[in-house]
Amino acid sequence: MDPERHGDTLTVRPRRDFNLMAVRHLKHHLGDATRVRIDLARAQLVDTEAVMALFRLQKRGVDVRLLEPPPIFFELLKVLELESAFDLERLVEREQP
Amino acid sequence: MDQTLRLPNHAQIIGPTTDYAYKWALNVGLSDEKALRLALAVDELVTDVVRFAFPGEDGTFEMTFRADLSTAEVIIHERGEPFDPLRHPYDPARAVEEDNFEGAGFAVVDHCVDDFAFLNRGREGKEFRIVQHIESEHIADLHPTEQPDPDADREDVAYTFSPVRPRDAEDIAKLIYRTYGYTYVREDLYYPERIERALKQGEKFGVVVRSNSGRAVGYFAVLQSQDSDIGEVGEAVVDVNHRRRGLMKRMLRSLIDLANERDLSGVYGEAVTVHNISQRVNHHFGMMSTALLLGLFPPQRFRSLFDERTQPITVVIDFRPLVPYESVTAYLPARYADLLRRIYAALDVDSLQVPPASSATPRDGLADTTEMDARIRYNFNHVVFVVETAGQDLLEQVHQALDDLEAENMTTAYVDLPLDDPDTPAATDLLCEYDFVFAGLMPRFHEERDYLRLQSPLVQLDPDGIEVYSDLAADLKSHILSELSWTPNDTETPSPSARGATSI
């Protein structure tokens, strides 16, 4: 998971897919962080457990940012009709040129 | 060949299992995109088992990976808490407003795969089945036009017969397309890549005939059974310009020689009954009719050969032992004993030992639970339940599975019962009290054992569209129609009151 904590910001990098195990690790390291950055560069899959976790973090007021989510993440949001439940412009952090 | 993993309900196995599913899917021929979606579906289902099947306790479940040339199927079987996903549909509004995501995983599974079936196996637990169809390039897209046949009108054509090699795949696909258009029932033969893969993997072997010009004008292959040492003599084609020259018979002779060289214990044919040509060829080579399977294949028209019939296709199983039968012990259900004895006699069984009825298991002596494998042929709209142990809940399990498969529009359900098992007479009675009838003997069909096959057609067929050749096949047909109360010439209009029938 490779967690890094800087102040109120927790950055995690799942080594593989963003699934139930990754969600559990994320929760374990979350503590009182108010900002979470999840680097998904190594993830091929994001599943519903991950989507639920993102939804709940957002609901708790945690500022969540995703880096390089795989294409299937956006498809999942569409299938589950959750696109409007997230502010995707804000959620997905664009890499600086 | 099936690959089965037994796994604990630990979250740690989700990632490796998903990775395995992805790699396996690529290896059986799925594209990267479809393999990834299959892997996500596996992730969702395994996560569901891990989280909910065994609340608060350790449990195990099985994953079976099963593929043929056109489908990749993953079966997840667990014996945890009862649950029916159909009763828990996903609701996006409920998810957002109440933070209740029930059913979300199944909605994703349904989206990701081509077929998703849930089978409630009663006391045997639950099965989730996910299927991806393997895409390949159709021969019509690869080569939309072909050169004319230079040997078409010649009488003095010389032919060469040789074992099929992977590099013949494209010529075979062309031959099939040229001969049958889009109507050949075995769809894999339109895809050179699938033919090549089957040959390389040793799933089949065969003979190809070429004319003077080198053009492939005949092909005949044996498909090796995945769970027994027998093979199906199938995939037969002769170019229309080269018929009536004995090519089919010469190919079949070569095939039987090749099968003997490979130590197969028998070969069989699934001869269609829209005509009797294949049945006649089979019988010419010593095959005996052992079963009549109603509606085994979806409707096809046999272009330029015969009249157009559009009902599901019934086949005759013709079998020839290559290793002679010696002594056979078979618990023959009384209601079918005479027919089965005749079939065994036709197969030259030297010594048929039929234990007395008193040594068979009485109905109340059957185990509580049935163990069986449902082999769903999604492309062909039928399912075969291969019974390992018949239990009191056999009928219940079969019914439940058929209910669960309603969306798949099954045409026929078959049940295979091992004839060397003393439970078989009681299991037969159980099934025949519902809507199962005789289909016949499936010789050496699973693990080299003989099976009694029963069948339940789920649609009504026109008996006049079922043409059989041998006396034995005629008797099978007559017996089966009688059991079903189907009579020729009076079923033009499907009767909604027919046993278990729905119109198509």
Side-chain angles (χ1 to χ4, degrees):
Chain A
M1 194 74 175
D2 303 336
E4 283 176 27
R5 181 75 186 251
H6 297 287
D8 290 341
T9 301
L10 172 71
T11 301
V12 292
R13 295 180 183 83
R15 289 181 188 162
R16 295 302 306 265
D17 300 332
F18 194 12
N19 58 14
L20 179 64
M21 275 304 284
V23 168
R24 286 184 178 174
H25 280 124
L26 172 62
K27 285 182 183 168
H28 178 73
H29 293 288
L30 184 63
D32 59 355
T34 56
R35 190 161 191 262
V36 174
R37 297 175 76 237
I38 306 169
D39 183 348
L40 294 173
R42 293 181 289 193
Q44 239 185 332
L45 295 177
V46 175
D47 68 9
T48 53
E49 291 294 329
V51 171
M52 285 189 278
L54 295 175
F55 179 82
R56 286 166 186 158
L57 284 172
Q58 181 182 268
K59 206 172 162 190
R60 276 174 53 181
V62 176
D63 181 10
V64 185
R65 303 298 170 96
L66 301 181
L67 275 77
E68 297 189 55
I72 202 128
F73 167 69
F74 299 99
E75 194 174 324
L76 216 60
L77 294 186
K78 193 171 179 185
V79 173
L80 298 175
E81 299 177 46
L82 292 174
E83 287 161 306
S84 60
F86 293 95
D87 179 352
L88 289 177
E89 285 298 313
R90 185 176 171 81
L91 178 68
V92 180
E93 195 169 288
R94 304 290 170 196
E95 277 189 275
Q96 297 301 318
Chain B
M1 185 185 294
D2 289 357
Q3 299 170 23
T4 299
L5 307 176
R6 180 182 286 272
L7 300 162
N9 63 332
H10 297 164
Q12 293 94 318
I13 56 103
I14 296 170
T17 308
T18 305
D19 287 349
Y20 182 81
Y22 174 68
K23 285 287 176 64
W24 173 82
L26 290 176
N27 274 298
V28 298
L30 286 178
S31 64
D32 187 72
E33 188 184 336
K34 292 195 91 169
L36 195 64
R37 286 161 194 276
L38 184 84
L40 179 56
V42 165
D43 169 299
E44 296 289 354
L45 292 173
V46 171
T47 300
D48 187 78
V49 173
V50 165
R51 289 196 59 197
F52 304 115
F54 307 94
E57 58 184 272
D58 286 339
T60 59
F61 65 101
E62 284 137 35
M63 283 186 76
T64 299
F65 295 83
R66 177 179 288 175
D68 58 26
L69 296 174
S70 56
T71 53
E73 181 178 29
V74 181
I75 304 165
I76 296 176
H77 182 196
E78 47 95 341
R79 296 172 181 81
E81 277 202 345
F83 173 73
D84 182 353
L86 298 176
R87 294 180 186 278
H88 303 273
Y90 173 67
D91 179 348
R94 189 184 60 202
V96 174
E97 289 159 19
E98 301 172 27
D99 191 8
N100 180 345
F101 286 82
E102 189 176 58
F106 294 115
V108 169
V109 173
D110 200 38
H111 168 80
C112 285
V113 297
D114 293 324
D115 281 300
F116 174 31
F118 167 74
L119 302 188
N120 186 338
R121 301 272 309 272
R123 277 171 287 192
E124 270 296 282
K126 306 180 282 295
E127 278 184 14
F128 299 97
R129 289 172 173 250
I130 49 178
V131 173
Q132 293 288 52
H133 300 305
I134 300 169
E135 292 166 344
S136 313
E137 267 199 288
H138 195 286
I139 189 66
D141 298 326
L142 287 169
H143 297 279
T145 54
E146 251 201 302
Q147 297 299 312
D149 182 355
D151 299 320
D153 300 319
R154 291 179 52 191
E155 291 295 321
D156 60 339
V157 184
Y159 297 102
T160 55
F161 290 69
S162 49
V164 178
R165 292 152 301 183
R167 66 171 181 255
D168 295 318
E170 191 168 304
D171 285 347
I172 292 165
K174 283 182 188 171
L175 172 62
I176 292 285
Y177 182 55
R178 196 164 68 229
T179 309
Y180 294 111
Y182 284 102
T183 64
Y184 196 68
V185 73
R186 296 182 186 277
E187 203 190 345
D188 293 335
L189 289 181
Y190 291 104
Y191 301 91
E193 188 188 326
R194 294 184 193 173
I195 299 171
E196 192 177 338
R197 195 165 356 118
L199 289 165
K200 281 182 176 167
Q201 293 172 353
E203 291 174 19
K204 62 182 168 189
F205 55 90
V207 180
V208 65
V209 185
R210 292 184 183 276
S211 61
N212 288 356
S213 63
R215 190 180 178 94
V217 296
Y219 163 71
F220 212 158
V222 168
L223 289 80
Q224 294 201 205
S225 168
Q226 298 216 1
D227 70 343
S228 199
D229 63 0
I230 61 171
E232 182 199 345
V233 177
E235 301 188 348
V237 59
V238 175
D239 187 302
V240 288
N241 293 321
H242 298 268
R243 287 188 179 153
R244 300 184 187 281
R245 300 178 191 205
L247 297 185
M248 188 71 90
K249 288 179 182 171
R250 288 174 65 187
M251 285 194 291
L252 185 51
R253 194 175 297 126
S254 300
L255 270 188
I256 290 175
D257 289 346
L258 286 171
N260 270 315
E261 285 169 19
R262 289 165 189 251
D263 292 328
L264 295 191
S265 71
V267 288
Y268 69 97
E270 289 179 345
V272 296
T273 58
V274 289
H275 57 73
N276 68 19
I277 295 175
S278 309
Q279 297 172 58
R280 276 191 281 148
V281 173
N282 288 345
H283 280 257
H284 181 82
F285 282 90
M287 291 190 181
M288 293 296 156
S289 303
T290 68
L292 182 76
L293 309 184
L294 298 169
L296 187 75
F297 296 132
Q300 299 290 332
R301 287 169 298 174
F302 282 64
R303 191 185 74 166
S304 76
L305 274 174
F306 303 93
D307 61 339
E308 294 188 350
R309 295 194 184 274
T310 55
Q311 67 174 353
I313 295 171
T314 296
V315 309
V316 173
I317 298 294
D318 291 320
F319 186 83
R320 174 174 159 176
L322 297 177
V323 176
Y325 269 105
E326 292 175 355
S327 178
V328 171
T329 299
Y331 290 84
L332 305 183
R335 65 179 76 208
Y336 303 132
D338 288 346
L339 265 172
L340 288 166
R341 282 180 190 276
R342 284 189 57 199
I343 296 167
Y344 271 121
L347 293 174
D348 283 333
V349 172
D350 281 344
S351 169
L352 178 63
Q353 308 289 331
V354 181
S358 57
S359 65
T361 312
R363 189 183 294 195
D364 58 11
L366 293 176
D368 287 342
T369 306
T370 298
E371 287 177 32
M372 65 179 189
D373 180 22
R375 300 184 185 178
I376 305 167
R377 303 287 298 277
Y378 297 89
N379 290 347
F380 293 155
N381 303 111
H382 71 246
V383 54
V384 182
F385 299 101
V386 181
V387 174
E388 196 174 314
T389 306
Q392 306 280 354
D393 65 347
L394 173 60
L395 192 54
E396 190 185 324
Q397 277 206 39
V398 169
H399 280 177
Q400 185 62 57
L402 292 177
D403 283 350
D404 295 336
L405 290 171
E406 194 181 353
E408 304 295 335
N409 293 318
M410 291 288 148
T411 300
T412 312
Y414 305 98
V415 176
D416 285 2
L417 297 163
L419 277 166
D420 58 3
D421 189 325
D423 294 351
T424 285
T428 303
D429 287 345
L430 265 175
L431 291 163
C432 291
E433 280 172 16
Y434 181 56
D435 49 5
F436 277 83
V437 300
F438 191 66
L441 175 70
M442 306 302 279
R444 296 173 173 164
F445 251 63
H446 310 292
E447 309 292 341
E448 291 77 53
R449 297 161 75 192
D450 292 345
Y451 278 71
L452 166 65
R453 178 165 288 187
L454 303 175
Q455 61 188 335
S456 174
L458 306 171
V459 297
Q460 178 107 19
L461 303 174
D462 173 9
D464 291 331
I466 300 171
E467 189 177 342
V468 294
Y469 174 69
S470 70
D471 291 344
L472 198 45
D475 289 346
L476 287 171
K477 178 182 171 186
S478 166
H479 179 94
I480 291 164
L481 293 183
S482 165
E483 268 199 276
L484 287 164
S485 304
W486 288 1
T487 49
N489 296 320
D490 68 354
T491 53
E492 296 299 326
T493 306
S495 160
S497 61
R499 297 174 59 173
T502 53
S503 58
I504 53 171

